[in-house]
Amino acid sequence: MIEKLRENFNKGVEKLKWFARLLDERLKVEMAFFKFASKAEKLRKEKDELARAVGEKVFEERQQLSLMARDEGLKGMLKEMELVNEELNALVEQTSKIGRE
């Protein structure tokens, strides 16, 4: 009877070890995925920031860039940016007036 208990106990321990290895492998995969997703998000934010900076620089230098004279689509986008910028400035001015009242 003790042999049967010992055998069942050893089988149970082996199943627990198997489950622990399976869980360990799964956790490693999950952690690697989250690290990858985190790094991808950081890179995406960095790319967006760089694109924004490039766009702002183009907008600031729009008078000097000869590219503007040739590209009608770019001219339209810059005109739209100017309108948005004017609206933004008006909103900022209105907001600052509200703060002073």
Side-chain angles (χ1 to χ4, degrees):
M1 174 146 176
I2 291 179
E3 280 300 315
K4 183 74 171 168
L5 285 173
R6 186 176 303 187
E7 184 180 322
N8 287 340
F9 177 77
N10 288 336
K11 285 182 183 178
V13 167
E14 286 302 313
K15 285 182 182 182
L16 283 174
K17 286 180 181 179
W18 172 82
F19 183 73
R21 283 191 302 271
L22 181 69
L23 187 61
D24 180 55
E25 290 173 19
R26 183 65 186 172
L27 285 173
K28 285 179 183 176
V29 169
E30 292 292 329
M31 292 301 293
F33 173 78
F34 284 120
K35 286 179 184 177
F36 172 75
S38 175
K39 187 174 182 177
E41 185 62 27
K42 286 178 186 175
L43 290 174
R44 196 174 297 119
K45 285 180 181 179
E46 183 179 341
K47 181 193 80 128
D48 290 345
E49 184 64 28
L50 287 170
R52 185 188 60 77
V54 168
E56 285 179 358
K57 186 67 174 171
V58 168
F59 182 69
E60 290 169 0
E61 303 291 329
R62 66 188 176 279
Q63 306 302 347
Q64 291 80 21
L65 295 174
S66 62
L67 172 68
M68 305 308 161
R70 291 180 274 152
D71 191 341
E72 291 299 319
L74 191 53
K75 278 185 185 179
M77 286 186 282
L78 287 172
K79 197 64 107 171
E80 189 174 334
M81 282 181 71
E82 287 175 354
L83 293 173
V84 169
N85 197 31
E86 288 173 11
E87 286 181 44
L88 179 62
N89 289 337
L91 284 173
V92 168
E93 189 177 316
Q94 287 176 348
T95 304
S96 66
K97 285 180 183 177
I98 292 172
R100 286 185 251 146
E101 293 176 351

